[in-house]
């Protein structure tokens, strides 16, 4: 069987959290040996869909690149680049918008969440966000998209866009598959385990950052909300404990059942301590690698330049074919 073409994108912030790491970044690292190629993109064009500061943006892009490299992405084994360096993404966004239903964009959960109360003040970019995301993936004819559970609807939409394009203009684009991890696709906030961990929508104490100091991590797990029982099992009515079991299973590289049997009869206090220690150990190499890599911006720029060159070689011919199919320029078809 041929290898998958893997594509994923990540927003540029220095405040990546444990949910991003477990739900997405961990899958990228694993994907670079399975994928041919595996392509990872820091989506700075998506970042301008909400209020932002240009000087900050540039810094956060370096932060994100350093986190990804520290996590184990190897520019020799994958393509790592900055979205705005490859013009194909913006051009394809416009072209694909002609086969994207306005109603579908209106139904996107993330749009509804981010748009808030004042719909009129939200940018058009926020509305177009899923079309750009579709262009990101379809420009490479990617077959797999590793993401966390919250991106499910966006991936479903890009599949629909690819199908509609092919129906209207002839077989051109590949309909990609969603890839969410079996454990940890949705890591929950430690304080409010009914909602997902998030730097924008979650609580500060319930969100563990990838670059956080070990003692801060211990504190956050120490105060994690559980329940009034003392059973360490995964169950729908025990979201706090279930979340901690998932986190421990991933951090240790074991599975959920193993964690449950190991902690059978143990108290919540000891259990939380064990989770904290496992996470501290799990994230330590990333934090250390980050401290080493982040200062060398010239080197990060070299990684971006090499990555963008490879990305353009893949995306440009696809966009050229899309243009031709759609009736632009002279035809050789
Ligand atoms: P973002 O920082 O929004 O670009 O998200 C990067 C990746 O992390 C995406 O694939 C998300 O689906 C994933 N992700 C975000 N929050 C969580 C979470 N709480 N649990 C698991 N995955 C997440
Ligand atoms: N929307 C994704 C998120 O918020 C980021 C993203 C942009 C992405 N383009 C993508 C993910 C392409 C997968 C594929 O997490």
């Amino acid at each position: 069987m041929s290898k998958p073409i893997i594509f994923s994108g990540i927003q540029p912030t220095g405040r990546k959290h444990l949910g991003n790491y477990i739900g997405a970044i961990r899958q990228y690292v694993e994907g670079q040996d399975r994928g041919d190629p595996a392509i990872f993109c820091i989506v700075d064009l998506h970042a301008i869909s909400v209020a932002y500061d240009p000087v900050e943006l540039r810094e956060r892009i370096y932060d994100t690149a350093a986190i990804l490299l520290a996590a184990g992405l190897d520019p020799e084994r994958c393509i790592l680049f900055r979205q705005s360096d490859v013009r194909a993404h913006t051009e394809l966004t416009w072209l694909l918008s002609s086969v994207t239903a306005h109603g579908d964009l209106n139904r996107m959960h993330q749009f509804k969440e981010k748009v808030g109360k004042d719909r009129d003040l939200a940018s058009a970019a926020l509305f177009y966000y899923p079309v750009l995301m579709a262009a990101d993936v379809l420009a490479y004819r990617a077959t797999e998209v590793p993401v966390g559970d919250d991106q499910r609807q966006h991936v479903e939409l890009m599949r629909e866009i690819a199908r509609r394009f092919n129906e209207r203009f002839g077989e051109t684009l590949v309909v990609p598959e969603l890839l969410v991890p079996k454990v940890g696709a949705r890591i929950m906030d430690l304080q409010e385990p009914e909602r997902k961990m998030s730097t924008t929508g979650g609580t500060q104490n319930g969100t563990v950052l990838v670059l956080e100091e070990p003692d801060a991590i211990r504190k956050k797990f120490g105060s994690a909300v559980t329940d009034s029982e003392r059973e360490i099992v995964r169950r729908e009515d025990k979201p706090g404990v279930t979340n901690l079991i998932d986190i421990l299973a991933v951090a240790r590289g074991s599975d959920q059942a193993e964690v449950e049997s190991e902690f059978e009869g143990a108290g919540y206090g000891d259990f939380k301590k064990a989770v904290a220690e496992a996470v501290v150990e799990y994230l330590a190499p990333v934090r250390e690698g980050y401290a080493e890599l982040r200062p060398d911006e010239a080197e990060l720029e070299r990684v971006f330049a090499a990555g963008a060159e490879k990305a353009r070689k893949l995306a440009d011919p696809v966009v050229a074919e899309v243009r031709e199919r759609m009736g632009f320029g002279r035809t050789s078809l």
Side-chain angles (χ1 to χ4, degrees):
M1 235 180 70
S2 59
K3 285 190 162 188
I5 298 172
I6 296 175
F7 186 102
S8 196
I10 187 162
Q11 299 253 16
T13 78
R15 296 169 50 76
K16 289 293 153 202
H17 55 74
L18 189 61
N20 297 135
Y21 198 84
I22 290 180
I25 298 173
R26 174 174 64 113
Q27 292 200 96
Y28 304 170
V29 177
E30 176 267 334
Q32 57 184 350
D33 291 321
R34 268 187 332 102
D36 185 22
I39 310 162
F40 303 108
C41 176
I42 298 175
V43 296
D44 52 354
L45 296 170
H46 279 105
I48 67 168
S49 59
V50 291
Y52 81 103
D53 174 63
V55 177
E56 273 275 300
L57 177 63
R58 216 171 257 121
E59 297 294 318
R60 299 296 85 87
I61 290 165
Y62 293 135
D63 293 350
T64 309
I67 289 176
L68 293 175
L69 294 169
L73 285 191
D74 172 3
E76 299 294 317
R77 290 190 289 150
C78 72
I79 300 174
L80 174 62
F81 72 106
R82 180 168 51 194
Q83 189 183 33
S84 62
D85 288 342
V86 179
R87 303 289 166 92
H89 296 239
T90 24
E91 181 172 2
L92 189 57
T93 300
W94 180 250
L95 300 176
L96 293 178
S97 70
S98 81
V99 288
T100 306
H102 185 278
D104 284 345
L105 294 180
N106 246 329
R107 277 189 285 279
M108 293 290 119
H109 308 308
Q110 190 171 303
F111 173 67
K112 286 194 229 165
E113 268 162 39
K114 286 199 181 172
V115 84
K117 279 192 240 46
D118 212 338
R119 220 181 162 87
D120 286 349
L121 289 179
S123 70
L126 191 61
F127 188 64
Y128 253 56
Y129 181 113
V131 192
L132 176 58
M133 182 164 162
D136 291 342
V137 173
L138 302 182
Y140 299 88
R141 295 200 170 108
T143 57
E144 270 184 26
V145 186
V147 284
D149 187 68
D150 60 352
Q151 296 301 311
R152 214 173 258 279
Q153 196 188 25
H154 283 155
V155 174
E156 199 38 64
L157 179 65
M158 69 174 73
R159 288 166 55 83
E160 184 60 26
I161 292 173
R163 278 189 225 110
R164 282 206 202 119
F165 187 95
N166 291 344
E167 257 166 47
R168 170 80 179 79
F169 299 107
E171 271 316 302
T172 311
L173 300 172
V174 170
V175 180
E177 300 289 331
L178 170 82
L179 190 72
V180 297
K182 278 203 196 70
V183 182
R186 193 174 176 81
I187 296 296
M188 309 308 277
D189 188 285
L190 301 184
Q191 290 296 319
E192 294 180 15
E194 307 75 27
R195 45 187 219 182
K196 69 172 184 188
M197 189 177 284
S198 154
T199 35
T200 44
T203 69
Q204 210 184 340
N205 279 334
T207 306
V208 174
L209 302 180
V210 171
L211 299 177
E212 206 146 27
E213 299 286 334
D215 275 342
I217 296 179
R218 290 188 183 102
K219 240 196 200 142
K220 288 183 177 176
F221 279 103
S223 69
V225 168
T226 49
D227 50 54
S228 56
E229 308 177 347
R230 40 171 311 153
E231 245 189 315
I232 299 173
V233 289
R234 299 181 81 255
R235 222 171 50 212
E236 215 166 301
D237 63 336
K238 296 167 74 71
V241 171
T242 299
N243 191 38
L244 293 172
I245 292 174
D246 288 0
I247 291 172
L248 185 55
V250 171
R252 281 195 180 168
S254 69
D255 65 45
Q256 298 148 315
E258 227 169 280
V259 170
E260 285 177 345
S261 59
E262 178 180 341
F263 287 90
E264 205 181 327
Y268 282 169
D270 288 341
F271 175 55
K272 288 201 253 182
K273 276 204 187 94
V275 183
E277 288 317 311
V279 170
V280 165
E281 212 174 295
Y282 185 57
L283 295 178
V286 187
R287 199 164 61 95
E288 285 156 20
Y290 176 87
E292 235 168 75
L293 294 160
R294 176 61 181 86
D296 195 351
E297 293 181 359
E299 175 55 23
L300 296 173
E301 285 292 349
R302 277 192 289 277
V303 169
F304 284 149
E309 201 179 309
K310 290 190 225 165
R312 279 184 217 111
K313 284 210 178 92
L314 295 170
D316 287 350
V318 177
V319 177
E321 196 180 324
V322 166
R323 288 171 52 95
E324 194 163 348
R325 292 266 185 200
M326 292 182 76
F328 299 112
R330 291 182 63 171
T331 185
S332 62
L333 286 173

